[in-house]
Amino acid sequence: MAGPNTRSALAGIKVAAIDLDGVVYRGRTMIEGADAAISSLRQSGLQILFATNSSVRTRADIAAKLTGMG
């Protein structure tokens, strides 16, 4: 989770790309703390983009999976 120096550490950064499989979730399970870390980054003003190298699911499938995880 982001700490008290997050704003200064992220100064000048506007967008963060976050890999999904193995970073946000593993299979059907969210990785502990991933949601809080993403929330903290968003609260710091960053736009979050999610990335994956999996071509098995559509963007809509992945969005539904993330929504279901909270």
Side-chain angles (χ1 to χ4, degrees):
M1 185 167 8
N5 297 321
T6 300
R7 287 189 192 269
S8 61
L10 298 176
I13 298 173
K14 296 179 181 178
V15 179
I18 300 175
D19 185 43
L20 292 170
D21 193 34
V23 177
V24 175
Y25 56 73
R26 189 170 293 123
R28 296 181 183 181
T29 305
M30 183 183 303
I31 292 176
E32 184 178 344
D35 55 343
I38 292 166
S39 179
S40 290
L41 291 171
R42 284 184 169 151
Q43 288 175 5
S44 294
L46 268 91
Q47 177 184 1
I48 305 296
L49 302 176
F50 295 103
T52 182
N53 62 349
S54 173
S55 60
V56 176
R57 291 188 167 86
T58 67
R59 285 184 278 181
D61 292 339
I62 293 169
K65 181 176 184 170
L66 291 172
T67 299
M69 290 181 169

Coordinates of all heavy atoms in Angstrom, one line a residue:
M1 N 0.8 -1.2 0.0 CA 0.0 0.0 0.0 C 0.9 1.2 0.0 O 2.0 1.2 0.5 CB -0.9 0.0 1.2 CG -1.9 1.1 1.1 SD -3.4 1.1 2.2 CE -3.1 -0.1 3.4
A2 N 0.4 2.3 -0.6 CA 1.1 3.5 -0.6 C 1.3 4.1 0.7 O 0.5 4.1 1.6 CB 0.4 4.5 -1.6
G3 N 2.5 4.7 1.0 CA 2.8 5.3 2.2 C 2.7 6.8 2.2 O 2.2 7.4 1.2
P4 N 3.2 7.5 3.3 CA 3.0 8.9 3.4 C 3.8 9.7 2.3 O 3.5 10.9 2.0 CB 3.6 9.2 4.8 CG 4.4 8.1 5.2 CD 3.8 6.9 4.4
N5 N 4.8 9.1 1.7 CA 5.6 9.8 0.7 C 5.2 9.5 -0.7 O 5.9 9.8 -1.7 CB 7.1 9.4 0.9 CG 7.7 9.8 2.2 OD1 7.3 10.9 2.7 ND2 8.5 9.0 2.8
T6 N 4.0 8.9 -0.9 CA 3.5 8.5 -2.2 C 3.4 9.7 -3.1 O 3.8 9.6 -4.2 CB 2.2 7.8 -2.1 OG1 2.3 6.6 -1.3 CG2 1.7 7.4 -3.4
R7 N 2.8 10.8 -2.7 CA 2.6 11.9 -3.5 C 3.9 12.5 -4.1 O 4.1 12.8 -5.3 CB 1.8 13.0 -2.8 CG 0.4 12.7 -2.6 CD -0.4 13.9 -2.1 NE -1.7 13.5 -1.7 CZ -2.8 13.5 -2.5 NH1 -2.7 13.9 -3.7 NH2 -3.9 13.1 -2.0
S8 N 5.0 12.6 -3.2 CA 6.2 13.1 -3.7 C 6.9 12.1 -4.6 O 7.6 12.5 -5.6 CB 7.1 13.5 -2.6 OG 7.4 12.4 -1.7
A9 N 6.8 10.8 -4.3 CA 7.4 9.8 -5.1 C 6.8 9.7 -6.5 O 7.4 9.3 -7.5 CB 7.3 8.4 -4.4
L10 N 5.5 10.1 -6.6 CA 4.8 10.0 -7.9 C 4.7 11.3 -8.6 O 4.0 11.4 -9.6 CB 3.3 9.4 -7.6 CG 3.3 8.0 -7.0 CD1 1.8 7.7 -6.7 CD2 3.9 7.0 -7.9
A11 N 5.3 12.3 -8.1 CA 5.3 13.7 -8.7 C 5.6 13.6 -10.2 O 6.6 13.0 -10.5 CB 6.2 14.6 -8.0
G12 N 4.8 14.1 -11.0 CA 5.0 14.1 -12.4 C 4.5 12.9 -13.2 O 4.4 12.9 -14.4
I13 N 4.2 11.9 -12.4 CA 3.6 10.6 -13.0 C 2.1 10.8 -13.1 O 1.5 11.1 -12.1 CB 4.0 9.4 -12.3 CG1 5.5 9.2 -12.3 CG2 3.4 8.1 -12.9 CD1 6.1 8.1 -11.5
K14 N 1.5 10.6 -14.2 CA 0.1 10.7 -14.4 C -0.7 9.4 -14.6 O -1.9 9.3 -14.3 CB -0.2 11.7 -15.5 CG 0.3 13.1 -15.3 CD 0.0 14.0 -16.5 CE 0.6 15.3 -16.2 NZ 0.4 16.3 -17.3
V15 N 0.0 8.4 -15.1 CA -0.6 7.2 -15.5 C 0.3 6.0 -15.0 O 1.5 6.1 -15.1 CB -0.8 7.1 -17.0 CG1 -1.4 5.7 -17.4 CG2 -1.6 8.2 -17.6
A16 N -0.4 4.9 -14.5 CA 0.3 3.7 -14.2 C -0.3 2.6 -14.9 O -1.5 2.4 -14.9 CB 0.3 3.5 -12.7
A17 N 0.5 1.7 -15.5 CA 0.0 0.5 -16.2 C 0.3 -0.6 -15.2 O 1.5 -0.8 -14.8 CB 0.7 0.3 -17.5
I18 N -0.7 -1.4 -14.9 CA -0.5 -2.5 -13.9 C -0.9 -3.8 -14.6 O -2.0 -4.0 -15.2 CB -1.4 -2.3 -12.7 CG1 -1.1 -1.0 -12.0 CG2 -1.3 -3.4 -11.7 CD1 -2.0 -0.6 -10.9
D19 N 0.0 -4.8 -14.6 CA -0.3 -6.1 -15.1 C -1.3 -6.8 -14.2 O -1.4 -6.5 -13.0 CB 1.0 -6.9 -15.1 CG 0.8 -8.3 -15.8 OD1 0.2 -8.3 -16.8 OD2 1.4 -9.3 -15.2
L20 N -2.1 -7.6 -14.8 CA -3.2 -8.3 -14.0 C -2.8 -9.6 -13.4 O -2.7 -9.7 -12.2 CB -4.4 -8.4 -14.9 CG -5.1 -7.1 -15.3 CD1 -6.2 -7.4 -16.3 CD2 -5.7 -6.5 -14.1
D21 N -2.5 -10.6 -14.2 CA -2.2 -11.9 -13.7 C -0.9 -12.0 -13.0 O 0.1 -11.7 -13.5 CB -2.2 -12.9 -14.9 CG -2.3 -14.4 -14.4 OD1 -2.9 -14.6 -13.4 OD2 -1.7 -15.2 -15.0
G22 N -1.0 -12.3 -11.7 CA 0.1 -12.4 -10.8 C 0.5 -11.1 -10.1 O 1.3 -11.1 -9.2
V23 N -0.2 -10.0 -10.5 CA 0.0 -8.8 -9.8 C -1.3 -8.3 -9.1 O -1.3 -8.0 -7.9 CB 0.4 -7.7 -10.7 CG1 0.6 -6.3 -10.0 CG2 1.8 -8.1 -11.4
V24 N -2.4 -8.4 -9.8 CA -3.7 -8.0 -9.2 C -4.5 -9.3 -8.8 O -5.1 -9.3 -7.7 CB -4.6 -7.2 -10.2 CG1 -6.0 -7.0 -9.6 CG2 -3.9 -5.9 -10.5
Y25 N -4.4 -10.3 -9.5 CA -5.0 -11.6 -9.2 C -4.2 -12.8 -9.6 O -3.3 -12.6 -10.5 CB -6.5 -11.7 -9.7 CG -6.6 -11.5 -11.2 CD1 -6.2 -12.5 -12.1 CD2 -7.1 -10.4 -11.8 CE1 -6.3 -12.4 -13.5 CE2 -7.2 -10.2 -13.2 CZ -6.8 -11.2 -14.0 OH -6.9 -11.1 -15.4
R26 N -4.5 -13.9 -9.0 CA -3.9 -15.2 -9.4 C -5.0 -16.1 -9.6 O -5.7 -16.5 -8.7 CB -2.9 -15.7 -8.4 CG -2.1 -16.9 -8.8 CD -1.0 -17.2 -7.9 NE 0.0 -16.2 -7.9 CZ 0.4 -15.5 -6.8 NH1 -0.1 -15.8 -5.6 NH2 1.3 -14.6 -6.8
G27 N -5.3 -16.5 -10.9 CA -6.5 -17.3 -11.2 C -7.8 -16.5 -10.9 O -8.0 -15.4 -11.4
R28 N -8.6 -17.0 -10.0 CA -9.8 -16.3 -9.6 C -9.7 -15.6 -8.2 O -10.7 -15.1 -7.7 CB -10.9 -17.4 -9.5 CG -11.3 -18.0 -10.8 CD -12.4 -19.0 -10.7 NE -12.6 -19.7 -11.9 CZ -13.5 -20.5 -12.2 NH1 -14.3 -20.9 -11.2 NH2 -13.7 -21.1 -13.3
T29 N -8.5 -15.5 -7.7 CA -8.3 -14.9 -6.4 C -7.5 -13.6 -6.5 O -6.4 -13.6 -7.1 CB -7.6 -15.9 -5.5 OG1 -8.3 -17.1 -5.4 CG2 -7.5 -15.4 -4.1
M30 N -8.1 -12.5 -5.9 CA -7.3 -11.3 -5.8 C -6.1 -11.5 -4.9 O -6.2 -12.1 -3.8 CB -8.2 -10.2 -5.3 CG -7.5 -8.8 -5.3 SD -8.4 -7.4 -4.6 CE -9.8 -7.5 -5.6
I31 N -5.0 -10.9 -5.3 CA -3.8 -10.9 -4.5 C -4.0 -10.0 -3.3 O -4.5 -8.8 -3.5 CB -2.6 -10.6 -5.3 CG1 -2.3 -11.8 -6.3 CG2 -1.4 -10.4 -4.4 CD1 -1.2 -11.6 -7.2
E32 N -3.7 -10.4 -2.1 CA -4.0 -9.6 -0.9 C -3.3 -8.3 -1.0 O -2.1 -8.1 -1.3 CB -3.5 -10.4 0.3 CG -3.8 -9.7 1.6 CD -3.3 -10.4 2.8 OE1 -3.0 -11.6 2.7 OE2 -3.2 -9.8 3.9
G33 N -4.1 -7.2 -0.8 CA -3.6 -5.9 -0.8 C -3.6 -5.2 -2.1 O -3.4 -4.0 -2.2
A34 N -3.9 -5.9 -3.2 CA -3.9 -5.3 -4.5 C -5.0 -4.2 -4.7 O -4.7 -3.1 -5.2 CB -4.1 -6.4 -5.6
D35 N -6.1 -4.5 -4.1 CA -7.2 -3.5 -4.2 C -6.9 -2.2 -3.4 O -7.1 -1.1 -3.9 CB -8.5 -4.1 -3.7 CG -8.5 -4.7 -2.4 OD1 -7.4 -5.0 -1.8 OD2 -9.6 -4.9 -1.8
A36 N -6.3 -2.4 -2.3 CA -5.9 -1.2 -1.5 C -4.8 -0.4 -2.1 O -4.8 0.8 -2.1 CB -5.5 -1.7 -0.1
A37 N -3.8 -1.1 -2.7 CA -2.8 -0.4 -3.4 C -3.3 0.4 -4.6 O -2.9 1.5 -4.8 CB -1.7 -1.4 -3.9
I38 N -4.2 -0.2 -5.4 CA -4.8 0.5 -6.5 C -5.6 1.7 -6.1 O -5.5 2.7 -6.7 CB -5.6 -0.5 -7.4 CG1 -4.7 -1.5 -8.0 CG2 -6.4 0.2 -8.4 CD1 -5.4 -2.7 -8.6
S39 N -6.3 1.5 -5.0 CA -7.1 2.6 -4.5 C -6.2 3.7 -4.0 O -6.5 4.9 -4.3 CB -8.0 2.1 -3.3 OG -8.7 3.1 -2.8
S40 N -5.1 3.4 -3.4 CA -4.2 4.5 -2.9 C -3.6 5.2 -4.1 O -3.5 6.5 -4.1 CB -3.1 3.9 -2.1 OG -3.6 3.4 -0.8
L41 N -3.2 4.5 -5.2 CA -2.7 5.1 -6.3 C -3.7 6.1 -7.0 O -3.4 7.2 -7.4 CB -2.2 4.1 -7.3 CG -1.0 3.3 -6.9 CD1 -0.7 2.1 -7.8 CD2 0.3 4.2 -6.8
R42 N -4.9 5.6 -7.1 CA -6.0 6.4 -7.6 C -6.2 7.7 -6.8 O -6.4 8.8 -7.3 CB -7.3 5.6 -7.8 CG -7.3 4.7 -8.9 CD -8.6 4.0 -9.1 NE -8.7 3.3 -10.4 CZ -9.4 2.2 -10.6 NH1 -10.1 1.7 -9.6 NH2 -9.3 1.7 -11.8
Q43 N -6.2 7.5 -5.5 CA -6.4 8.7 -4.6 C -5.2 9.7 -4.7 O -5.4 10.8 -4.4 CB -6.5 8.2 -3.1 CG -7.9 7.5 -2.8 CD -7.9 6.9 -1.4 OE1 -7.1 7.1 -0.6 NE2 -9.0 6.2 -1.2
S44 N -4.1 9.2 -5.1 CA -3.0 10.1 -5.3 C -3.0 10.8 -6.7 O -2.2 11.6 -7.0 CB -1.7 9.2 -5.3 OG -1.4 8.7 -4.0
G45 N -4.1 10.5 -7.4 CA -4.3 11.2 -8.7 C -3.9 10.5 -9.9 O -4.0 11.0 -11.0
L46 N -3.4 9.3 -9.8 CA -3.0 8.5 -11.0 C -4.2 7.9 -11.7 O -5.1 7.4 -11.1 CB -2.0 7.4 -10.6 CG -0.6 7.8 -10.6 CD1 -0.2 8.3 -9.3 CD2 0.3 6.6 -11.1
Q47 N -4.1 7.9 -13.0 CA -5.0 7.1 -13.9 C -4.4 5.7 -13.9 O -3.2 5.6 -14.2 CB -5.1 7.8 -15.3 CG -6.0 7.0 -16.2 CD -6.0 7.5 -17.6 OE1 -5.4 8.5 -17.9 NE2 -6.8 6.9 -18.4
I48 N -5.2 4.7 -13.8 CA -4.7 3.4 -13.8 C -5.2 2.7 -15.1 O -6.3 2.7 -15.4 CB -5.3 2.6 -12.6 CG1 -4.9 3.3 -11.2 CG2 -4.7 1.1 -12.6 CD1 -3.5 3.4 -10.9
L49 N -4.2 2.0 -15.7 CA -4.5 1.2 -16.9 C -4.1 -0.2 -16.5 O -3.1 -0.4 -15.9 CB -3.7 1.7 -18.1 CG -3.8 3.1 -18.6 CD1 -2.9 3.4 -19.7 CD2 -5.3 3.4 -19.0
F50 N -5.0 -1.2 -16.9 CA -4.7 -2.6 -16.6 C -4.2 -3.2 -17.9 O -4.7 -3.0 -19.0 CB -5.9 -3.3 -16.1 CG -6.3 -2.7 -14.7 CD1 -7.4 -1.9 -14.6 CD2 -5.6 -3.1 -13.6 CE1 -7.8 -1.4 -13.4 CE2 -6.0 -2.5 -12.3 CZ -7.1 -1.7 -12.3
A51 N -3.2 -4.1 -17.8 CA -2.6 -4.8 -18.9 C -2.5 -6.3 -18.7 O -2.4 -6.7 -17.5 CB -1.2 -4.2 -19.2
T52 N -2.6 -7.0 -19.8 CA -2.4 -8.5 -19.7 C -1.9 -9.0 -21.0 O -2.1 -8.4 -22.1 CB -3.7 -9.2 -19.3 OG1 -3.5 -10.6 -19.2 CG2 -4.8 -9.0 -20.4
N53 N -1.1 -10.0 -21.0 CA -0.7 -10.6 -22.2 C -1.5 -11.8 -22.6 O -1.2 -12.6 -23.5 CB 0.8 -11.0 -22.1 CG 1.1 -12.0 -21.1 OD1 0.2 -12.3 -20.2 ND2 2.3 -12.6 -21.0
S54 N -2.6 -12.0 -21.9 CA -3.5 -13.2 -22.1 C -4.5 -12.8 -23.3 O -5.1 -11.7 -23.2 CB -4.3 -13.5 -20.9 OG -5.3 -14.5 -21.2
S55 N -4.6 -13.6 -24.2 CA -5.5 -13.3 -25.4 C -6.7 -14.2 -25.3 O -7.5 -14.3 -26.2 CB -4.8 -13.5 -26.7 OG -4.3 -14.9 -26.8
V56 N -6.9 -14.9 -24.2 CA -8.0 -15.9 -24.0 C -9.3 -15.2 -23.7 O -10.3 -15.6 -24.2 CB -7.7 -16.9 -22.9 CG1 -8.8 -17.8 -22.6 CG2 -6.4 -17.7 -23.2
R57 N -9.3 -14.1 -22.9 CA -10.5 -13.4 -22.6 C -10.6 -12.1 -23.3 O -9.6 -11.4 -23.6 CB -10.5 -13.2 -21.0 CG -10.7 -14.5 -20.3 CD -10.9 -14.2 -18.8 NE -11.3 -15.4 -18.1 CZ -10.5 -16.3 -17.6 NH1 -9.2 -16.2 -17.8 NH2 -11.0 -17.4 -17.0
T58 N -11.8 -11.6 -23.4 CA -12.0 -10.3 -24.0 C -11.9 -9.2 -22.9 O -11.8 -9.5 -21.7 CB -13.4 -10.1 -24.6 OG1 -14.4 -10.2 -23.5 CG2 -13.7 -11.2 -25.6
R59 N -11.8 -7.9 -23.4 CA -11.7 -6.8 -22.4 C -13.0 -6.8 -21.5 O -12.9 -6.6 -20.3 CB -11.6 -5.5 -23.1 CG -10.2 -5.3 -23.7 CD -10.1 -3.9 -24.3 NE -10.6 -4.0 -25.6 CZ -10.7 -3.0 -26.5 NH1 -10.2 -1.8 -26.1 NH2 -11.2 -3.1 -27.7
A60 N -14.1 -7.1 -22.1 CA -15.4 -7.2 -21.3 C -15.3 -8.3 -20.3 O -15.7 -8.1 -19.1 CB -16.6 -7.4 -22.2
D61 N -14.7 -9.5 -20.6 CA -14.6 -10.6 -19.7 C -13.7 -10.1 -18.5 O -14.0 -10.4 -17.3 CB -13.9 -11.8 -20.3 CG -14.8 -12.5 -21.4 OD1 -16.0 -12.3 -21.3 OD2 -14.3 -13.2 -22.2
I62 N -12.6 -9.5 -18.8 CA -11.6 -9.1 -17.8 C -12.3 -8.0 -16.9 O -12.1 -8.0 -15.7 CB -10.3 -8.6 -18.4 CG1 -9.6 -9.8 -19.0 CG2 -9.4 -8.0 -17.3 CD1 -8.4 -9.5 -19.9
A63 N -13.0 -7.0 -17.5 CA -13.7 -6.0 -16.7 C -14.7 -6.6 -15.8 O -14.8 -6.2 -14.6 CB -14.3 -5.0 -17.7
A64 N -15.4 -7.6 -16.3 CA -16.4 -8.3 -15.4 C -15.7 -9.0 -14.3 O -16.2 -9.0 -13.1 CB -17.2 -9.2 -16.2
K65 N -14.6 -9.6 -14.5 CA -13.8 -10.3 -13.5 C -13.3 -9.3 -12.4 O -13.5 -9.6 -11.2 CB -12.6 -11.0 -14.1 CG -11.8 -11.8 -13.1 CD -10.7 -12.6 -13.8 CE -9.9 -13.4 -12.9 NZ -9.0 -14.3 -13.6
L66 N -12.8 -8.2 -12.9 CA -12.3 -7.2 -11.9 C -13.5 -6.6 -11.1 O -13.3 -6.4 -9.9 CB -11.5 -6.1 -12.6 CG -10.2 -6.5 -13.2 CD1 -9.7 -5.4 -14.1 CD2 -9.2 -6.9 -12.2
T67 N -14.6 -6.3 -11.8 CA -15.7 -5.8 -11.1 C -16.2 -6.8 -10.0 O -16.6 -6.4 -8.9 CB -16.9 -5.5 -12.1 OG1 -16.4 -4.5 -13.0 CG2 -18.1 -5.0 -11.4
G68 N -16.2 -8.1 -10.4 CA -16.7 -9.1 -9.4 C -15.7 -9.2 -8.2 O -16.2 -9.7 -7.2
M69 N -14.5 -8.8 -8.4 CA -13.5 -8.9 -7.3 C -13.6 -7.7 -6.4 O -12.9 -7.6 -5.4 CB -12.1 -9.1 -7.9 CG -11.8 -10.4 -8.5 SD -10.1 -10.5 -9.0 CE -10.0 -12.2 -9.4
G70 N -14.3 -6.7 -6.9 CA -14.4 -5.4 -6.1 C -13.5 -4.3 -6.7 O -13.3 -3.3 -6.1

